């Protein structure tokens, strides 16, 4: 056997599926490596990590076994288990955790190259079992010089491996800790696994497991993960954390959480790996080929700690009680937790105490590792948010973060810290976090420095860039912010924005900005620029990326003008309806942008550019909602006075349309013509009562996508297209898009 140091990235893996910790090393097992169910692998690469020093006699090893989508980074997902006086003490133990056979994190698996074809195995990877995984781990520790394993410990799929360690190598393993697992996969678990696999199989990109590594079946994998998450928690846990709390107007918090979890797994895992490992779990039965089930468990001779979670609905408590009852000398410890199966990854301090006590290392016998300072935790999992704009959206965003931060941080495993707030007068930056209960007073007390712009931004961005995972959140409607964004990208700062203006700059300037973002590998998310929290841009982007040919995008993009049209139909004078819209915060900072059609034109331009068009704003045909003569610069009162002079004419127009069986709507149209030429237009139109746009009420937006795949019945996105709470909720969702997680399950 050959042993070498270096990156486990030497294992070929497909695109996004290959995440390997920089601390991971590789170990080579020469082939052929026979498999329990038949066949052999031509060789096996094992990705692994170690902590501590192996004693001269090789007798102080501890083997940690990870769960389904976990990795060898046990110190990340079981952090509280590590340290002086803890269950896993690098000062006393030589701790080994390897990526299991079939993994996509450095050990041979479906993303590895099949030497027979020169391409990834994917769905053709041979069937493996839990015993195969443990045999690979045994070869690894032999190669590392281990002669005794003081303890094998693992949860969920890791617990299955632990039992096999005890049964396969009784002369080697001194003790085992079996956490939230089972001695044989139940029909319940096999059914859950099969449902998840069917979600992957149903994805057209699966192609019977022979998918393109650059286009894996991510939709199926995301759906599988969402299903799995329901079994990892408990019903009381979901009720406590989410209840019926909305994340946005048309999305419950629990839906947002599940979608986020699906997205996170897609970013770090591989569909064929998921299929391979869940099938291996389904084969798990300690009695297979060994005889009577109960007698096999009675044959386990090592001291055994069995940890059960009272709210687990994946591996039910009776399954652990069965093991504890049958294994001679087993000790049963029960974690009473509302968190379900995930409790072994959430209540880690409690699990540590149980395992440390089992090992004769009660916490009181040695000083526990000091709790990580808040700053250390924030450095590892934090987001530093600088919020520009304290208007209706900015104010609502800060309040939503203040009220929901605990739930959001728990849901997304991220620590949020608003480190700064700015308006047109001043900026305050507090690296340790702004007190969100008193931010207005603090901002008012800050010295006047003027707005954040290209001139003032560099010094501010330098300070922001020094903080953990800095994010600039632009909720203004300011011009020139594209220059600020570029400065941010160059400093390693991500940008979340609802500001449409940087997206409507000249085509060459926009391309230069996007090039800077790509060059510096930064995020720039701006979906709330069109439709607030509605997935307008996201839907269009997905249609384009999946190869659909978009023919037309049309609808009502302005919630403000939709509100005016609704009020006009009710007989409200135009000037009064406009005053109400301004008071409700529906309008742009300058309401003339709404009434002139410029705001709608910017939105239409943004959508046209998502289609690949190189249009400029002046290329969009614009017909104002009211005569341009009424929109001369001036105060809001002057605007209302001018509109008052148009009340009768507008009322007459609305009445004329009513008699014709029509209503007034302000419509945006983006069309793809011959040769891919894109045209865009916005303006008021008479809409027949049977048209979907006629049924819109208030600030509802409606966008219909007509494509090659949606030719007869357009794909429609509809909902509130304006509003501080909705936009702020969409911004929060965008903030969490920039995070990437490392699961342990």
């Amino acid at each position: 056997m050959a042993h070498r140091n270096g990156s486990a990235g030497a294992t070929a893996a497909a695109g996004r599926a290959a995440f390997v910790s920089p601390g991971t090393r590789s170990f080579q097992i020469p082939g052929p490596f026979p498999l329990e169910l038949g066949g052999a692998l031509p060789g096996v690469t094992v990705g692994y990590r170690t902590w501590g020093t192996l004693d001269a006699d090789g007798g102080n090893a501890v083997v940690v076994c990870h769960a389904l989508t976990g990795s060898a980074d046990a110190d990340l997902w079981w952090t509280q288990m590590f340290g002086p006086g803890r269950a896993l003490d690098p000062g006393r133990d030589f701790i080994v955790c390897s990526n299991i056979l079939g993994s996509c994190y450095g050990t041979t698996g479906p993303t590895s190259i099949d030497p027979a074809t020169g391409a990834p195995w994917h769905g053709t990877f041979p069937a493996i079992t839990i015993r195969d995984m443990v045999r690979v781990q045994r070869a690894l520790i032999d190669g590392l010089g281990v002669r005794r394993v003081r303890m094998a410990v693992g949860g969920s799929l890791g617990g299955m491996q632990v039992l096999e360690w005890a049964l396969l190598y009784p002369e080697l393993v001194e003790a085992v800790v079996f956490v939230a697992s089972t001695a044989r996969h139940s029909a319940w678990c096999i059914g859950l696994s099969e449902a998840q696999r069917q979600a992957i199989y149903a994805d057209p990109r699966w192609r019977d497991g022979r998918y393109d590594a650059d286009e894996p079946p991510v939709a199926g994998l995301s759906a599988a993960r969402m299903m799995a998450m329901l079994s990892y928690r408990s019903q009381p846990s979901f009720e406590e954390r989410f209840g019926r709390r909305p994340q946005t107007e048309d999305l419950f918090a629990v839906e947002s959480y599940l979608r986020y979890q699906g997205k996170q797994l897609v970013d770090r895992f591989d569909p064929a790996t998921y299929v391979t490992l869940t099938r291996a779990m389904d084969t798990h039965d300690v009695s297979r080929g060994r005889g009577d089930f109960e007698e096999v468990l009675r044959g386990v001779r090592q001291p055994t700690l069995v940890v059960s979670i009272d709210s687990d609905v994946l591996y039910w408590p009776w399954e652990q009680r069965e093991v504890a009852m049958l294994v001679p000398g087993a000790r049963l410890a029960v974690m009473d937790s509302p968190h379900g199966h995930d409790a072994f990854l959430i209540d880690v301090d409690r699990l540590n105490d149980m395992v440390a006590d089992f090992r004769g290392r009660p916490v009181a016998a040695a000083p526990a590792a000091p709790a990580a300072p808040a700053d250390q935790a924030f450095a590892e999992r934090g987001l530093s948010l600088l919020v520009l704009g304290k208007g209706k959206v900015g104010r609502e965003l800060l309040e939503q973060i203040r009220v929901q931060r605990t739930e959001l941080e728990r849901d997304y495993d991220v620590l949020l810290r608003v480190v700064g707030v700015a308006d047109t007068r001043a900026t305050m930056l507090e690296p340790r976090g702004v007190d969100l209960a008193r931010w207005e007073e603090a901002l008012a007390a800050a010295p006047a420095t003027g707005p954040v712009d290209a001139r003032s931004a560099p010094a501010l961005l330098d300070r922001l860039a020094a903080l953990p995972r800095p994010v600039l959140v632009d909720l203004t409607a300011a011009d020139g912010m594209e220059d600020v964004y570029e400065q941010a990208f160059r400093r390693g700062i991500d940008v979340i924005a609802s500001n449409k203006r940087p997206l409507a700059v000249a085509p060459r300037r926009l391309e230069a900005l996007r090039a800077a973002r790509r060059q510096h590998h930064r995020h720039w998310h701006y979906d709330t620029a069109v439709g607030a929290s509605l997935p307008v841009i996201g839907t269009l982007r997905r249609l384009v990326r999946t190869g659909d040919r978009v023919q037309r995008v049309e609808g009502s993009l302005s919630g403000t003008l939709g509100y005016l049209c609704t009020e006009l139909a009710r007989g409200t004078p135009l000037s009064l309806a406009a005053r109400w819209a301004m008071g409700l915060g529906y309008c742009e900072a300058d309401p003339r942008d709404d009434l002139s059609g410029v705001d709608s034109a910017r939105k239409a331009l943004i959508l046209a550019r998502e289609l690949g068009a190189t249009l400029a704003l002046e290329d969009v045909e614009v017909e104002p909602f009211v005569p341009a003569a009424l929109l001369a610069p001036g105060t809001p009162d002057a605007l209302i006075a001018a509109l008052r002079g148009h009340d009768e004419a507008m009322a007459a127009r609305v009445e004329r349309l009513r008699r014709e069986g029509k209503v007034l709507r302000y419509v945006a149209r983006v069309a793809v013509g011959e040769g891919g030429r894109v045209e865009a237009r916005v303006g008021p139109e008479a809409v027949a009562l049977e048209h979907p746009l006629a049924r819109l009420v208030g600030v509802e937006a409606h966008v219909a996508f007509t494509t090659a795949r949606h030719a007869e019945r357009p794909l429609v996105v509809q909902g509130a297209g304006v509003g501080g709470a909705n936009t702020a909720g969409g911004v929060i969702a965008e903030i969490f898009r920039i995070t990437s997680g490392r699961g342990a399950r």
Side-chain angles (χ1 to χ4, degrees):
M1 298 181 185
H3 176 244
R4 63 181 176 82
N5 292 332
S7 170
T11 301
R16 73 180 68 192
F19 172 82
V20 179
S21 167
T24 304
R25 293 183 290 173
S26 290
F27 178 80
Q28 302 293 334
I29 305 174
F33 186 88
L35 300 173
E36 183 186 4
L37 299 182
L41 290 169
V44 175
T45 297
V46 187
Y48 72 98
R49 290 189 62 191
T50 66
W51 300 262
T53 303
L54 184 65
D55 286 348
D57 64 358
N60 66 325
V62 172
V63 174
V64 178
C65 303
H66 70 73
L68 174 59
T69 66
S71 70
D73 298 319
D75 60 334
L76 298 182
W77 45 266
W78 259 359
T79 305
Q80 300 97 309
M81 297 278 282
F82 282 73
R86 295 263 164 175
L88 305 175
D89 185 347
R92 303 167 67 179
D93 302 318
F94 178 64
I95 306 160
V96 182
C97 185
S98 64
N99 296 309
I100 56 176
L101 180 66
S103 163
C104 57
Y105 293 149
T107 295
T108 298
T111 60
S112 302
I113 299 299
D114 177 0
T117 65
W121 292 90
H122 287 167
T124 63
F125 191 73
I128 60 175
T129 67
I130 308 299
R131 294 177 194 174
D132 291 328
M133 298 174 188
V134 174
R135 289 171 50 241
V136 166
Q137 294 167 13
R138 169 64 191 268
L140 167 66
I141 68 165
D142 282 349
L144 294 176
V146 171
R147 297 296 174 259
R148 296 290 292 172
V149 174
R150 289 180 176 173
M151 177 179 70
V153 56
S156 195
L157 169 56
M160 301 177 197
Q161 298 166 56
V162 162
L163 283 185
E164 287 297 339
W165 267 105
L167 291 164
L168 285 172
Y169 308 114
E171 78 294 343
L172 179 69
V173 179
E174 294 181 351
V176 294
V177 177
F178 171 83
V179 182
S181 192
T182 183
R184 54 183 170 187
H185 233 213
S186 64
W188 167 251
C189 287
I190 294 171
L192 290 172
S193 296
E194 175 63 7
Q196 293 161 37
R197 288 191 294 266
Q198 287 297 328
I200 295 173
Y201 300 158
D203 191 319
R205 292 184 176 183
W206 172 248
R207 295 172 54 191
D208 199 29
R210 295 174 174 82
Y211 53 86
D212 186 337
D214 293 327
E215 292 189 346
V218 294
L221 179 59
S222 177
R225 177 65 163 184
M226 291 170 69
M227 281 189 265
M229 289 304 301
L230 295 174
S231 67
Y232 294 156
R233 298 298 177 94
S234 67
Q235 195 264 358
S237 173
F238 270 71
E239 291 301 322
E240 176 190 344
R241 298 172 66 201
F242 306 113
R244 294 184 55 80
R245 172 167 55 87
Q247 185 75 14
T248 63
E249 182 176 284
D250 59 350
L251 190 71
F252 285 108
V254 67
E255 294 176 299
S256 174
Y257 168 75
L258 291 174
R259 294 180 188 182
Y260 173 85
Q261 292 293 335
K263 168 75 164 55
Q264 290 296 291
L265 189 68
V266 161
D267 288 345
R268 66 180 177 86
F269 214 66
D270 168 70
T273 300
Y274 198 91
V275 169
T276 296
L277 296 184
T278 56
R279 285 202 172 280
M281 293 166 71
D282 288 348
T283 69
H284 175 57
D285 180 352
V286 295
S287 66
R288 186 181 65 253
R290 290 184 175 129
D292 179 75
F293 176 77
E294 294 186 2
E295 289 303 316
V296 169
L297 285 178
R298 290 191 181 102
V300 175
R301 292 292 177 242
Q302 296 91 339
T304 302
L305 176 65
V306 177
V307 179
S308 181
I309 300 165
D310 66 349
S311 56
D312 196 340
V313 297
L314 181 62
Y315 300 116
W316 292 75
W318 66 261
E319 297 181 79
Q320 294 92 53
R321 287 197 301 270
E322 180 179 49
V323 173
M325 179 183 66
L326 292 171
V327 172
R331 180 195 305 183
L332 177 66
V334 178
M335 295 176 65
D336 53 331
S337 170
H339 299 307
H341 184 66
D342 265 0
F344 82 96
L345 298 170
I346 296 173
D347 297 329
V348 182
D349 279 320
R350 294 177 62 196
L351 178 62
N352 172 76
D353 290 349
M354 293 175 178
V355 179
D357 180 69
F358 172 70
R359 300 195 69 191
R361 299 178 184 177
V363 175
D375 287 345
Q376 179 180 338
F378 186 74
E380 295 172 352
R381 298 187 291 119
L383 286 177
S384 303
L385 309 179
L386 172 59
V387 178
L388 307 184
K390 66 165 189 180
K392 198 171 188 68
V393 177
R395 189 178 304 275
E396 183 65 35
L397 174 69
L398 294 173
E399 180 62 10
Q400 288 188 19
I401 292 176
R402 185 187 72 81
V403 172
Q404 301 180 38
R405 178 156 54 190
T406 299
E407 290 87 351
L408 291 169
E409 291 179 343
R410 184 171 59 191
D411 293 349
Y412 298 101
D413 194 29
V414 172
L415 300 179
L416 290 179
R417 183 180 290 176
V418 177
V419 298
V421 181
D423 61 10
T424 56
R425 188 195 72 86
T427 300
M428 63 167 175
L429 188 70
E430 174 48 65
R432 299 190 65 81
V434 173
D435 182 351
L436 294 184
R438 297 177 176 82
W439 68 267
E440 291 182 89
E441 298 96 308
L443 183 59
T449 54
V452 175
D453 56 21
R455 176 191 57 81
S456 64
L460 177 64
L461 295 177
D462 284 343
R463 296 175 64 193
L464 177 62
L467 302 177
R469 198 65 189 267
V471 183
L472 181 69
V473 183
D474 178 19
L475 307 179
T476 72
D479 282 316
M481 293 304 291
E482 61 276 7
D483 297 328
V484 177
Y485 294 0
E486 185 166 357
Q487 294 173 6
F489 295 149
R490 295 186 187 283
R491 288 166 171 80
I493 299 171
D494 298 313
V495 175
I496 305 293
S498 62
N499 190 347
K500 293 176 281 293
R501 293 172 187 260
L503 294 160
V505 296
R508 287 187 178 179
R509 180 66 186 101
L510 180 62
E511 181 50 41
L513 183 60
R514 286 176 168 164
R517 181 201 67 78
R518 291 191 296 269
Q519 179 184 357
H520 296 280
H521 306 288
R522 293 297 95 202
H523 291 268
W524 177 20
H525 297 312
Y526 49 79
D527 285 17
T528 55
V530 179
S533 63
L534 296 179
V536 176
I537 293 177
T539 298
L540 179 57
R541 191 178 292 131
R542 283 190 292 274
L543 290 170
V544 172
R545 287 179 177 175
T546 56
D548 202 352
R549 296 192 306 279
V550 179
Q551 299 161 354
R552 293 190 307 280
V553 182
E554 51 195 357
S556 175
L557 296 177
S558 172
T560 306
L561 297 183
Y563 173 81
L564 295 183
C565 288
T566 297
E567 291 301 322
L568 288 169
R570 293 170 176 167
T572 305
L574 171 65
S575 60
L576 181 58
R579 185 180 293 278
W580 287 351
M582 293 163 62
L584 290 168
Y586 293 158
C587 298
E588 291 296 298
D590 184 349
R592 294 169 180 81
D593 281 357
D594 296 296
L595 295 167
S596 67
V598 170
D599 182 66
S600 292
R602 289 192 186 106
K603 294 175 181 177
L605 177 63
I606 291 168
L607 297 181
R609 287 175 165 178
E610 290 293 323
L611 290 173
T614 56
L615 298 180
L617 185 58
E618 53 267 27
D619 296 325
V620 180
E621 181 184 346
V622 181
E623 181 182 348
F625 187 68
V626 298
L630 303 177
L631 303 176
T635 65
D637 286 342
L639 174 62
I640 296 300
L643 293 178
R644 193 174 296 121
H646 190 62
D647 281 346
E648 289 189 14
M650 181 62 81
R653 181 181 185 181
V654 171
E655 176 58 24
R656 183 171 62 255
L657 292 176
R658 187 189 66 79
R659 291 196 298 269
E660 295 173 0
K662 298 177 180 178
V663 293
L664 181 66
R665 292 289 183 265
Y666 198 83
V667 182
R669 298 186 185 277
V670 179
V672 182
E674 293 294 328
R677 184 169 182 270
V678 179
E679 297 180 342
R681 180 193 184 279
V682 297
E685 295 185 13
V687 175
L689 292 179
E690 60 270 17
H691 194 281
L693 290 176
R695 296 192 288 272
L696 298 180
V697 177
V699 297
E700 277 189 301
H702 174 104
V703 185
F705 301 92
T706 302
T707 72
R709 299 172 187 162
H710 300 275
E712 296 183 4
R713 188 181 296 273
L715 178 63
V716 172
V717 174
Q718 182 171 329
V722 72
N726 293 333
T727 305
V731 169
I732 287 177
E734 300 251 272
I735 288 170
F736 287 112
R737 283 180 62 191
I738 71 175
T739 63
S740 59
R742 296 183 194 172
R745 195 178 303 96

